Every structure is written in C-alpha cells, then in structure tokens.
Amino acid sequence: MYVYPSLHPSDRQSQVNLDGSNFTHFPDFNPTSVLEAYLEEGDVLYVPPFWFHHVEAINISISLNVWSDSWEYRWINRLFKNAIPFYEKSWPKDKLIFVTQHFLKRLVPRILGVPSNFVYNFLKRQYSRILDVDEDLFICSQSTGKGIDQFLAPHLQQISSVFNSLPLNSRLILLANYLESAANIAVGVDNVVGFLKDCVS
C-alpha cells in the first residue's frame, strides 16, 4: 500500500490515491485486490488491525467510527518506548551510532529468517515519492567491535521474539516503523534514510 514513513506527518496512511489518479507511481499496487462494501442505515463494518481502508459517503450521511488498539499495537508501543534497549545517555554519539548499526543489521535477519533486501525495499516504497533514496548518503562505521555480538545477544533475543510473535503482514509494517524509530534516535531524522540504506541494509 506504499505507506508513508512513520516519521512523516501522514504516518500510517497510504500514498496511493484510490481514485486511480496516481496508480502509475506505485507499480506494485494492485487495485483488483480491493474489497468494496456498501453500508446502509444501521450497518456496522469491522476493519481488522492493519487493514487499510478508505471511506466515501455516496449520499449525505452521518457515520461514526471507534478505534481500539490491537494486541500487536500494544506490544509494539512498549518496544517503541525503548527502541534502543541498550542505549545509555552517557554514551558519545559515535558509540550510539556504531552499536545501533550493528544491532539493526543483526535484527532484520533474525526477524525475517534470511538476509534480504527488506530495508532497501521498504525505503524505496515509503520514501521514493518524498526524496531520492539513492542520493541520501551516510558514512557507516567499518569497525566490527570486540564483544559486540555478546553484548547485543540478549537485546536481539528480546526484540526479535516480540516481532516473531506477530502475524507476518503486521510484522513487516511494524518492523519498518521500528527501524525508522531506532535510526531516528541514533542519527536524527535528517539522516534516517541514509543510515538505514548504507549501514543496515
């Protein structure tokens, strides 16, 4: 659905206009997979967590919606409050960047099961209409660091177990948001794309 980045003001919304006016910009969007429902007076429609929806009133009407947090959302909110669980405020910035780079680089394959192009692909899907992903650069640490694997092991286990308990579709959306959130803490919003592309993917 080409969701806006989680750090964007339109977070959790699709960049695709369902009226078809910009389908050509989103080659992987399949408009034939859309479900339509027509509601009449007294009808109720339940939209499950992480299902995208678009509402249009055909006639003059009044509608009411009620939002409730899903268990997936509650779990992830707890993670996001401490997106970099090992971070200590006394650390110099270069140490935070170094450890976060290694943490995220190891986390993605633990959640997805195999090394993949997930990070680069999600950046292209979510950012390509906003900026040129390939032009955004970040100088990554080339050091491997002594003891980094042992230091990161319990944190990787904790975070990956939470993600791996989620259904796949919500896992992918929330993993992208988590990566953006952790990168934002480490390098700041202006460097998120370059850091994730050059240092994590």
Side-chain angles (χ1 to χ4, degrees):
M1 288 297 295
Y2 294 91
V3 181
Y4 278 100
S6 67
L7 302 173
H8 190 277
S10 295
D11 170 36
R12 301 186 329 172
Q13 297 177 33
S14 175
Q15 297 178 52
V16 178
N17 294 331
L18 292 180
D19 64 6
S21 62
N22 69 352
F23 284 177
T24 58
H25 299 293
F26 305 103
D28 293 333
F29 177 72
N30 182 359
T32 61
S33 65
V34 173
L35 302 174
E36 288 188 29
Y38 294 91
L39 303 182
E40 296 181 0
E41 184 178 336
D43 286 348
V44 172
L45 176 66
Y46 171 73
V47 180
F50 298 96
W51 278 46
F52 289 91
H53 61 281
H54 172 78
V55 178
E56 288 183 25
I58 296 172
N59 298 311
I60 296 175
S61 63
I62 296 175
S63 61
L64 171 71
N65 65 43
V66 176
W67 296 91
S68 61
D69 287 344
S70 65
W71 67 269
E72 298 102 328
Y73 189 76
R74 285 193 300 271
W75 264 101
I76 293 300
N77 258 353
R78 289 184 7 206
L79 278 184
F80 277 52
K81 287 181 181 169
N82 190 22
I84 304 179
F86 46 79
Y87 174 46
E88 296 177 21
K89 295 207 185 285
S90 62
W91 282 5
K93 192 71 168 172
D94 60 334
K95 181 176 181 179
L96 172 62
I97 292 169
F98 167 78
V99 178
T100 303
Q101 170 186 333
H102 288 278
F103 175 68
L104 297 179
K105 196 167 189 72
R106 287 163 174 77
L107 182 66
V108 173
R110 284 186 76 134
I111 293 170
L112 299 179
V114 292
S116 71
N117 292 331
F118 172 79
V119 175
Y120 182 75
N121 290 339
F122 107 73
L123 291 172
K124 288 294 273 188
R125 291 176 71 85
Q126 292 184 210
Y127 283 92
S128 64
R129 300 267 302 148
I130 300 167
L131 55 85
D132 186 346
V133 170
D134 294 317
E135 292 292 319
D136 215 2
L137 303 175
F138 193 88
I139 306 300
C140 310
S141 169
Q142 300 304 315
S143 173
T144 55
K146 279 190 174 179
I148 190 88
D149 288 324
Q150 185 177 352
F151 173 76
L152 291 176
H155 305 294
L156 288 166
Q157 176 59 37
Q158 173 199 8
I159 303 290
S160 63
S161 66
V162 171
F163 274 102
N164 288 326
S165 70
L166 301 171
L168 181 61
N169 287 342
S170 53
R171 185 184 322 159
L172 296 176
I173 292 169
L174 293 170
L175 177 57
N177 292 354
Y178 179 82
L179 294 172
E180 288 175 299
S181 180
N184 184 35
I185 292 167
V187 299
V189 70
D190 292 338
N191 296 306
V192 164
V193 172
F195 175 75
L196 290 174
K197 176 179 64 74
D198 296 334
C199 306
V200 177
S201 69

